[in-house]
Amino acid sequence: MLMASSALTLSTPTAYFTPQSEASVPSSLFKSLKLPPFWPWQSQKKVKMGPLSVSPMGFGTWAWGNQLLWGYRESMDSDLQRVFNLAVENGVNLFDTADSYGTGRLNGQSEKLLGKFIKDLQGKEKGQDEIVIATKFAAYPWRLTPGQFVDACKASMERLQIEQIGIGQLHWSTANYAPLQELALWDGLVAMYEKGLVRAVGVSNYGPKQLVKIHEYLTARGVPLSSAQVQFSLLSMGEDQFEIKEICDSLGIRLIAYSPLGLGMLTGKYTPSELPRGPRSFLFRQILPGLKPLLSSLEEIAQRRQKTIPQVAINWCICKGAIPIPGVKTVEQAEENLGALGWRLNASELLQLENAAEESPKKMIQNIFQTR
């Protein structure tokens, strides 16, 4: 447990503490170095998301149950539970999921795992009470009425084994191809909020125009729109994304940034000759060759700050006022992501990164479900 006691010895990745010159530090002294009784990010203030108080970074669980893209296996579940416990122990209380996460017979697996992990926190009621689950309800073509959307919410509650969902989100807009269904789904959000099934409502993959429309509609019904989730990172900072951010700021909507590491392209772990397995490799092959200026800037700042490249990339999102939800599959990834908290890039570093990102010839492909 990372917040155990000051007697805990240094056994976690050295990204958290790296001496200026390892050669100048006696190995015996380095091995006996004691950690402080708490991590810097444990004192991080929570941020407001509608009526909720959440950590400035959450964890995404898209990979939990996804075999096709992320290579999930049920044998990973014990590691995923350790990831969850580590996050909670270190002050992360926001977990993003969806009723569509999981492939084939594993559909809904992400919600089921979160439900189990929350329940297994028996004896830690305070931690259970503070956890905020943000789940997304798919706009499937057979969900045509508000009642069917409410039923989807109730099914998620059963899988999550909770009495109330933190944030109920519409996963994508159908305005471009089924506008009548869109209105029914909006009414479904209103109904689940009025019935007390969710503490707050949000949307995902909504572009600027449609975001304003749903905000106006919900406001007229007396329902606050608390969050808007979009792809937002140094690889996804186009005009639409920044316009969405400006709208969120002006209307009091909290922006949730998914894929803050560009599906892994902003980790520094891949090169044009060393690509991930599976479908991601096709996208990486197109974009990675042009990322040298950005990755070089990330590495330069990381070395200067004694951080890692992913920590710098995630911190950029936090500094832009978004709540990043990087995906996690292993304890090592969770530990590294936690190192993005407790510090902030300065203005010149932000500008350096954004200028380097602009030099990249290709950006992330926006989600096809994102509307205008």
Side-chain angles (χ1 to χ4, degrees), residues 158-185:
E158 288 183 11
R159 285 188 291 270
L160 289 161
Q161 304 181 62
I162 55 179
E163 297 180 358
Q164 189 181 46
I165 289 170
I167 311 170
Q169 306 164 95
L170 175 52
H171 205 155
W172 65 84
S173 169
T174 66
N176 289 344
Y177 60 90
L180 293 180
Q181 182 188 14
E182 176 92 340
L183 287 176
L185 298 180

PDB file of all heavy atoms in Angstrom, residues 158-185:
ATOM      1  N   GLU A 158     -27.074  -2.653 -11.664  1.00  0.00           N
ATOM      2  CA  GLU A 158     -26.994  -4.043 -11.217  1.00  0.00           C
ATOM      3  C   GLU A 158     -25.594  -4.605 -11.409  1.00  0.00           C
ATOM      4  O   GLU A 158     -25.045  -5.280 -10.536  1.00  0.00           O
ATOM      5  CB  GLU A 158     -28.007  -4.896 -11.983  1.00  0.00           C
ATOM      6  CG  GLU A 158     -29.459  -4.640 -11.581  1.00  0.00           C
ATOM      7  CD  GLU A 158     -30.423  -5.559 -12.311  1.00  0.00           C
ATOM      8  OE1 GLU A 158     -29.956  -6.521 -12.960  1.00  0.00           O
ATOM      9  OE2 GLU A 158     -31.638  -5.303 -12.256  1.00  0.00           O
ATOM     10  N   ARG A 159     -25.006  -4.329 -12.578  1.00  0.00           N
ATOM     11  CA  ARG A 159     -23.649  -4.832 -12.821  1.00  0.00           C
ATOM     12  C   ARG A 159     -22.659  -4.181 -11.864  1.00  0.00           C
ATOM     13  O   ARG A 159     -21.710  -4.820 -11.406  1.00  0.00           O
ATOM     14  CB  ARG A 159     -23.244  -4.560 -14.278  1.00  0.00           C
ATOM     15  CG  ARG A 159     -23.900  -5.495 -15.284  1.00  0.00           C
ATOM     16  CD  ARG A 159     -23.321  -5.318 -16.678  1.00  0.00           C
ATOM     17  NE  ARG A 159     -23.676  -4.028 -17.257  1.00  0.00           N
ATOM     18  CZ  ARG A 159     -24.745  -3.786 -17.983  1.00  0.00           C
ATOM     19  NH1 ARG A 159     -25.621  -4.756 -18.216  1.00  0.00           N
ATOM     20  NH2 ARG A 159     -24.984  -2.578 -18.477  1.00  0.00           N
ATOM     21  N   LEU A 160     -22.858  -2.894 -11.565  1.00  0.00           N
ATOM     22  CA  LEU A 160     -21.956  -2.158 -10.680  1.00  0.00           C
ATOM     23  C   LEU A 160     -22.240  -2.429  -9.204  1.00  0.00           C
ATOM     24  O   LEU A 160     -21.437  -2.062  -8.343  1.00  0.00           O
ATOM     25  CB  LEU A 160     -22.080  -0.655 -10.954  1.00  0.00           C
ATOM     26  CG  LEU A 160     -21.490  -0.163 -12.275  1.00  0.00           C
ATOM     27  CD1 LEU A 160     -22.053   1.203 -12.656  1.00  0.00           C
ATOM     28  CD2 LEU A 160     -19.963  -0.103 -12.196  1.00  0.00           C
ATOM     29  N   GLN A 161     -23.369  -3.026  -8.917  1.00  0.00           N
ATOM     30  CA  GLN A 161     -23.772  -3.342  -7.537  1.00  0.00           C
ATOM     31  C   GLN A 161     -23.816  -2.093  -6.656  1.00  0.00           C
ATOM     32  O   GLN A 161     -23.378  -2.100  -5.507  1.00  0.00           O
ATOM     33  CB  GLN A 161     -22.836  -4.390  -6.921  1.00  0.00           C
ATOM     34  CG  GLN A 161     -22.735  -5.679  -7.713  1.00  0.00           C
ATOM     35  CD  GLN A 161     -21.816  -6.693  -7.062  1.00  0.00           C
ATOM     36  OE1 GLN A 161     -22.060  -7.148  -5.951  1.00  0.00           O
ATOM     37  NE2 GLN A 161     -20.744  -7.050  -7.759  1.00  0.00           N
ATOM     38  N   ILE A 162     -24.343  -1.009  -7.215  1.00  0.00           N
ATOM     39  CA  ILE A 162     -24.467   0.233  -6.461  1.00  0.00           C
ATOM     40  C   ILE A 162     -25.904   0.742  -6.562  1.00  0.00           C
ATOM     41  O   ILE A 162     -26.630   0.408  -7.491  1.00  0.00           O
ATOM     42  CB  ILE A 162     -23.482   1.322  -6.955  1.00  0.00           C
ATOM     43  CG1 ILE A 162     -23.658   1.578  -8.456  1.00  0.00           C
ATOM     44  CG2 ILE A 162     -22.043   0.920  -6.643  1.00  0.00           C
ATOM     45  CD1 ILE A 162     -22.735   2.657  -9.001  1.00  0.00           C
ATOM     46  N   GLU A 163     -26.294   1.550  -5.603  1.00  0.00           N
ATOM     47  CA  GLU A 163     -27.659   2.054  -5.543  1.00  0.00           C
ATOM     48  C   GLU A 163     -27.846   3.342  -6.333  1.00  0.00           C
ATOM     49  O   GLU A 163     -28.979   3.727  -6.631  1.00  0.00           O
ATOM     50  CB  GLU A 163     -28.073   2.274  -4.085  1.00  0.00           C
ATOM     51  CG  GLU A 163     -28.103   0.986  -3.271  1.00  0.00           C
ATOM     52  CD  GLU A 163     -28.508   1.216  -1.831  1.00  0.00           C
ATOM     53  OE1 GLU A 163     -28.728   2.398  -1.460  1.00  0.00           O
ATOM     54  OE2 GLU A 163     -28.618   0.230  -1.088  1.00  0.00           O
ATOM     55  N   GLN A 164     -26.757   4.011  -6.649  1.00  0.00           N
ATOM     56  CA  GLN A 164     -26.842   5.256  -7.412  1.00  0.00           C
ATOM     57  C   GLN A 164     -25.541   5.454  -8.179  1.00  0.00           C
ATOM     58  O   GLN A 164     -24.451   5.286  -7.624  1.00  0.00           O
ATOM     59  CB  GLN A 164     -27.101   6.446  -6.485  1.00  0.00           C
ATOM     60  CG  GLN A 164     -27.411   7.750  -7.211  1.00  0.00           C
ATOM     61  CD  GLN A 164     -27.642   8.903  -6.242  1.00  0.00           C
ATOM     62  OE1 GLN A 164     -26.888   9.094  -5.289  1.00  0.00           O
ATOM     63  NE2 GLN A 164     -28.685   9.689  -6.491  1.00  0.00           N
ATOM     64  N   ILE A 165     -25.650   5.796  -9.442  1.00  0.00           N
ATOM     65  CA  ILE A 165     -24.478   6.049 -10.288  1.00  0.00           C
ATOM     66  C   ILE A 165     -24.044   7.507 -10.116  1.00  0.00           C
ATOM     67  O   ILE A 165     -24.887   8.399  -9.990  1.00  0.00           O
ATOM     68  CB  ILE A 165     -24.812   5.735 -11.760  1.00  0.00           C
ATOM     69  CG1 ILE A 165     -24.945   4.215 -11.954  1.00  0.00           C
ATOM     70  CG2 ILE A 165     -23.764   6.300 -12.712  1.00  0.00           C
ATOM     71  CD1 ILE A 165     -25.509   3.805 -13.291  1.00  0.00           C
ATOM     72  N   GLY A 166     -22.749   7.725 -10.099  1.00  0.00           N
ATOM     73  CA  GLY A 166     -22.245   9.090  -9.946  1.00  0.00           C
ATOM     74  C   GLY A 166     -22.640   9.974 -11.122  1.00  0.00           C
ATOM     75  O   GLY A 166     -23.338  10.978 -10.967  1.00  0.00           O
ATOM     76  N   ILE A 167     -22.163   9.599 -12.303  1.00  0.00           N
ATOM     77  CA  ILE A 167     -22.461  10.370 -13.510  1.00  0.00           C
ATOM     78  C   ILE A 167     -22.993   9.418 -14.576  1.00  0.00           C
ATOM     79  O   ILE A 167     -22.298   8.489 -15.000  1.00  0.00           O
ATOM     80  CB  ILE A 167     -21.214  11.092 -14.060  1.00  0.00           C
ATOM     81  CG1 ILE A 167     -20.486  11.856 -12.965  1.00  0.00           C
ATOM     82  CG2 ILE A 167     -21.601  12.053 -15.194  1.00  0.00           C
ATOM     83  CD1 ILE A 167     -19.128  12.383 -13.380  1.00  0.00           C
ATOM     84  N   GLY A 168     -24.217   9.642 -15.023  1.00  0.00           N
ATOM     85  CA  GLY A 168     -24.779   8.885 -16.134  1.00  0.00           C
ATOM     86  C   GLY A 168     -24.586   9.669 -17.415  1.00  0.00           C
ATOM     87  O   GLY A 168     -25.037  10.810 -17.524  1.00  0.00           O
ATOM     88  N   GLN A 169     -23.894   9.077 -18.383  1.00  0.00           N
ATOM     89  CA  GLN A 169     -23.515   9.799 -19.594  1.00  0.00           C
ATOM     90  C   GLN A 169     -24.120   9.152 -20.849  1.00  0.00           C
ATOM     91  O   GLN A 169     -24.148   7.926 -20.961  1.00  0.00           O
ATOM     92  CB  GLN A 169     -21.992   9.807 -19.748  1.00  0.00           C
ATOM     93  CG  GLN A 169     -21.215  10.335 -18.551  1.00  0.00           C
ATOM     94  CD  GLN A 169     -19.750   9.951 -18.627  1.00  0.00           C
ATOM     95  OE1 GLN A 169     -18.910  10.712 -19.102  1.00  0.00           O
ATOM     96  NE2 GLN A 169     -19.427   8.754 -18.155  1.00  0.00           N
ATOM     97  N   LEU A 170     -24.560   9.976 -21.761  1.00  0.00           N
ATOM     98  CA  LEU A 170     -24.969   9.510 -23.091  1.00  0.00           C
ATOM     99  C   LEU A 170     -23.695   9.321 -23.898  1.00  0.00           C
ATOM    100  O   LEU A 170     -22.924  10.258 -24.095  1.00  0.00           O
ATOM    101  CB  LEU A 170     -25.886  10.547 -23.741  1.00  0.00           C
ATOM    102  CG  LEU A 170     -26.335  10.300 -25.187  1.00  0.00           C
ATOM    103  CD1 LEU A 170     -26.924   8.912 -25.353  1.00  0.00           C
ATOM    104  CD2 LEU A 170     -27.347  11.363 -25.607  1.00  0.00           C
ATOM    105  N   HIS A 171     -23.450   8.065 -24.357  1.00  0.00           N
ATOM    106  CA  HIS A 171     -22.154   7.718 -24.936  1.00  0.00           C
ATOM    107  C   HIS A 171     -21.856   8.463 -26.244  1.00  0.00           C
ATOM    108  O   HIS A 171     -20.712   8.793 -26.527  1.00  0.00           O
ATOM    109  CB  HIS A 171     -22.069   6.210 -25.155  1.00  0.00           C
ATOM    110  CG  HIS A 171     -20.672   5.685 -25.176  1.00  0.00           C
ATOM    111  ND1 HIS A 171     -20.363   4.379 -24.856  1.00  0.00           N
ATOM    112  CD2 HIS A 171     -19.487   6.267 -25.465  1.00  0.00           C
ATOM    113  CE1 HIS A 171     -19.057   4.192 -24.966  1.00  0.00           C
ATOM    114  NE2 HIS A 171     -18.499   5.316 -25.342  1.00  0.00           N
ATOM    115  N   TRP A 172     -22.866   8.664 -27.051  1.00  0.00           N
ATOM    116  CA  TRP A 172     -22.667   9.444 -28.274  1.00  0.00           C
ATOM    117  C   TRP A 172     -24.001  10.008 -28.735  1.00  0.00           C
ATOM    118  O   TRP A 172     -25.070   9.566 -28.312  1.00  0.00           O
ATOM    119  CB  TRP A 172     -22.010   8.620 -29.381  1.00  0.00           C
ATOM    120  CG  TRP A 172     -22.806   7.461 -29.920  1.00  0.00           C
ATOM    121  CD1 TRP A 172     -23.767   7.499 -30.884  1.00  0.00           C
ATOM    122  CD2 TRP A 172     -22.709   6.081 -29.527  1.00  0.00           C
ATOM    123  NE1 TRP A 172     -24.278   6.245 -31.136  1.00  0.00           N
ATOM    124  CE2 TRP A 172     -23.642   5.353 -30.314  1.00  0.00           C
ATOM    125  CE3 TRP A 172     -21.916   5.398 -28.595  1.00  0.00           C
ATOM    126  CZ2 TRP A 172     -23.802   3.970 -30.191  1.00  0.00           C
ATOM    127  CZ3 TRP A 172     -22.087   4.018 -28.466  1.00  0.00           C
ATOM    128  CH2 TRP A 172     -23.011   3.329 -29.263  1.00  0.00           C
ATOM    129  N   SER A 173     -23.917  10.978 -29.614  1.00  0.00           N
ATOM    130  CA  SER A 173     -25.114  11.630 -30.151  1.00  0.00           C
ATOM    131  C   SER A 173     -25.591  10.904 -31.408  1.00  0.00           C
ATOM    132  O   SER A 173     -24.787  10.446 -32.221  1.00  0.00           O
ATOM    133  CB  SER A 173     -24.791  13.088 -30.493  1.00  0.00           C
ATOM    134  OG  SER A 173     -25.837  13.668 -31.243  1.00  0.00           O
ATOM    135  N   THR A 174     -26.910  10.819 -31.564  1.00  0.00           N
ATOM    136  CA  THR A 174     -27.482  10.245 -32.787  1.00  0.00           C
ATOM    137  C   THR A 174     -28.041  11.335 -33.702  1.00  0.00           C
ATOM    138  O   THR A 174     -28.765  11.031 -34.657  1.00  0.00           O
ATOM    139  CB  THR A 174     -28.610   9.248 -32.450  1.00  0.00           C
ATOM    140  OG1 THR A 174     -29.704   9.962 -31.854  1.00  0.00           O
ATOM    141  CG2 THR A 174     -28.128   8.174 -31.491  1.00  0.00           C
ATOM    142  N   ALA A 175     -27.717  12.584 -33.411  1.00  0.00           N
ATOM    143  CA  ALA A 175     -28.307  13.713 -34.143  1.00  0.00           C
ATOM    144  C   ALA A 175     -28.056  13.642 -35.643  1.00  0.00           C
ATOM    145  O   ALA A 175     -28.905  14.051 -36.448  1.00  0.00           O
ATOM    146  CB  ALA A 175     -27.773  15.029 -33.591  1.00  0.00           C
ATOM    147  N   ASN A 176     -26.914  13.108 -36.043  1.00  0.00           N
ATOM    148  CA  ASN A 176     -26.563  13.080 -37.465  1.00  0.00           C
ATOM    149  C   ASN A 176     -27.340  12.038 -38.261  1.00  0.00           C
ATOM    150  O   ASN A 176     -27.468  12.155 -39.481  1.00  0.00           O
ATOM    151  CB  ASN A 176     -25.062  12.807 -37.636  1.00  0.00           C
ATOM    152  CG  ASN A 176     -24.205  13.983 -37.205  1.00  0.00           C
ATOM    153  OD1 ASN A 176     -24.693  15.097 -37.060  1.00  0.00           O
ATOM    154  ND2 ASN A 176     -22.921  13.729 -36.985  1.00  0.00           N
ATOM    155  N   TYR A 177     -27.851  11.015 -37.580  1.00  0.00           N
ATOM    156  CA  TYR A 177     -28.515   9.937 -38.332  1.00  0.00           C
ATOM    157  C   TYR A 177     -29.874   9.528 -37.756  1.00  0.00           C
ATOM    158  O   TYR A 177     -30.642   8.846 -38.435  1.00  0.00           O
ATOM    159  CB  TYR A 177     -27.604   8.705 -38.418  1.00  0.00           C
ATOM    160  CG  TYR A 177     -27.205   8.110 -37.090  1.00  0.00           C
ATOM    161  CD1 TYR A 177     -27.970   7.116 -36.486  1.00  0.00           C
ATOM    162  CD2 TYR A 177     -26.049   8.533 -36.431  1.00  0.00           C
ATOM    163  CE1 TYR A 177     -27.613   6.560 -35.269  1.00  0.00           C
ATOM    164  CE2 TYR A 177     -25.677   7.986 -35.213  1.00  0.00           C
ATOM    165  CZ  TYR A 177     -26.456   7.002 -34.641  1.00  0.00           C
ATOM    166  OH  TYR A 177     -26.091   6.461 -33.429  1.00  0.00           O
ATOM    167  N   ALA A 178     -30.183   9.931 -36.518  1.00  0.00           N
ATOM    168  CA  ALA A 178     -31.479   9.575 -35.933  1.00  0.00           C
ATOM    169  C   ALA A 178     -31.903  10.658 -34.942  1.00  0.00           C
ATOM    170  O   ALA A 178     -31.889  10.440 -33.728  1.00  0.00           O
ATOM    171  CB  ALA A 178     -31.409   8.214 -35.252  1.00  0.00           C
ATOM    172  N   PRO A 179     -32.260  11.847 -35.440  1.00  0.00           N
ATOM    173  CA  PRO A 179     -32.570  12.975 -34.547  1.00  0.00           C
ATOM    174  C   PRO A 179     -33.729  12.716 -33.590  1.00  0.00           C
ATOM    175  O   PRO A 179     -33.717  13.231 -32.465  1.00  0.00           O
ATOM    176  CB  PRO A 179     -32.879  14.123 -35.516  1.00  0.00           C
ATOM    177  CG  PRO A 179     -33.188  13.460 -36.830  1.00  0.00           C
ATOM    178  CD  PRO A 179     -32.365  12.235 -36.856  1.00  0.00           C
ATOM    179  N   LEU A 180     -34.722  11.944 -33.999  1.00  0.00           N
ATOM    180  CA  LEU A 180     -35.839  11.666 -33.097  1.00  0.00           C
ATOM    181  C   LEU A 180     -35.393  10.798 -31.920  1.00  0.00           C
ATOM    182  O   LEU A 180     -35.852  10.981 -30.788  1.00  0.00           O
ATOM    183  CB  LEU A 180     -36.980  10.985 -33.856  1.00  0.00           C
ATOM    184  CG  LEU A 180     -37.681  11.851 -34.915  1.00  0.00           C
ATOM    185  CD1 LEU A 180     -38.792  11.056 -35.607  1.00  0.00           C
ATOM    186  CD2 LEU A 180     -38.258  13.119 -34.279  1.00  0.00           C
ATOM    187  N   GLN A 181     -34.491   9.857 -32.196  1.00  0.00           N
ATOM    188  CA  GLN A 181     -33.952   9.037 -31.113  1.00  0.00           C
ATOM    189  C   GLN A 181     -33.161   9.906 -30.140  1.00  0.00           C
ATOM    190  O   GLN A 181     -33.205   9.693 -28.924  1.00  0.00           O
ATOM    191  CB  GLN A 181     -33.050   7.933 -31.670  1.00  0.00           C
ATOM    192  CG  GLN A 181     -32.505   7.011 -30.577  1.00  0.00           C
ATOM    193  CD  GLN A 181     -31.458   6.030 -31.085  1.00  0.00           C
ATOM    194  OE1 GLN A 181     -30.936   6.178 -32.181  1.00  0.00           O
ATOM    195  NE2 GLN A 181     -31.147   5.018 -30.286  1.00  0.00           N
ATOM    196  N   GLU A 182     -32.463  10.889 -30.664  1.00  0.00           N
ATOM    197  CA  GLU A 182     -31.667  11.783 -29.826  1.00  0.00           C
ATOM    198  C   GLU A 182     -32.523  12.444 -28.749  1.00  0.00           C
ATOM    199  O   GLU A 182     -32.160  12.468 -27.567  1.00  0.00           O
ATOM    200  CB  GLU A 182     -30.990  12.858 -30.708  1.00  0.00           C
ATOM    201  CG  GLU A 182     -30.202  13.910 -29.950  1.00  0.00           C
ATOM    202  CD  GLU A 182     -28.737  13.545 -29.778  1.00  0.00           C
ATOM    203  OE1 GLU A 182     -28.407  12.359 -29.902  1.00  0.00           O
ATOM    204  OE2 GLU A 182     -27.941  14.439 -29.515  1.00  0.00           O
ATOM    205  N   LEU A 183     -33.676  12.953 -29.125  1.00  0.00           N
ATOM    206  CA  LEU A 183     -34.556  13.609 -28.164  1.00  0.00           C
ATOM    207  C   LEU A 183     -35.052  12.618 -27.107  1.00  0.00           C
ATOM    208  O   LEU A 183     -35.157  12.960 -25.922  1.00  0.00           O
ATOM    209  CB  LEU A 183     -35.743  14.255 -28.879  1.00  0.00           C
ATOM    210  CG  LEU A 183     -35.432  15.517 -29.684  1.00  0.00           C
ATOM    211  CD1 LEU A 183     -36.668  15.994 -30.430  1.00  0.00           C
ATOM    212  CD2 LEU A 183     -34.902  16.620 -28.770  1.00  0.00           C
ATOM    213  N   ALA A 184     -35.338  11.394 -27.524  1.00  0.00           N
ATOM    214  CA  ALA A 184     -35.778  10.379 -26.573  1.00  0.00           C
ATOM    215  C   ALA A 184     -34.678  10.065 -25.560  1.00  0.00           C
ATOM    216  O   ALA A 184     -34.944   9.880 -24.361  1.00  0.00           O
ATOM    217  CB  ALA A 184     -36.200   9.117 -27.317  1.00  0.00           C
ATOM    218  N   LEU A 185     -33.433  10.017 -26.031  1.00  0.00           N
ATOM    219  CA  LEU A 185     -32.316   9.726 -25.137  1.00  0.00           C
ATOM    220  C   LEU A 185     -32.078  10.880 -24.169  1.00  0.00           C
ATOM    221  O   LEU A 185     -31.744  10.661 -22.999  1.00  0.00           O
ATOM    222  CB  LEU A 185     -31.050   9.435 -25.956  1.00  0.00           C
ATOM    223  CG  LEU A 185     -31.134   8.220 -26.888  1.00  0.00           C
ATOM    224  CD1 LEU A 185     -29.829   8.030 -27.650  1.00  0.00           C
ATOM    225  CD2 LEU A 185     -31.486   6.954 -26.115  1.00  0.00           C
TER     226      LEU A 185
END
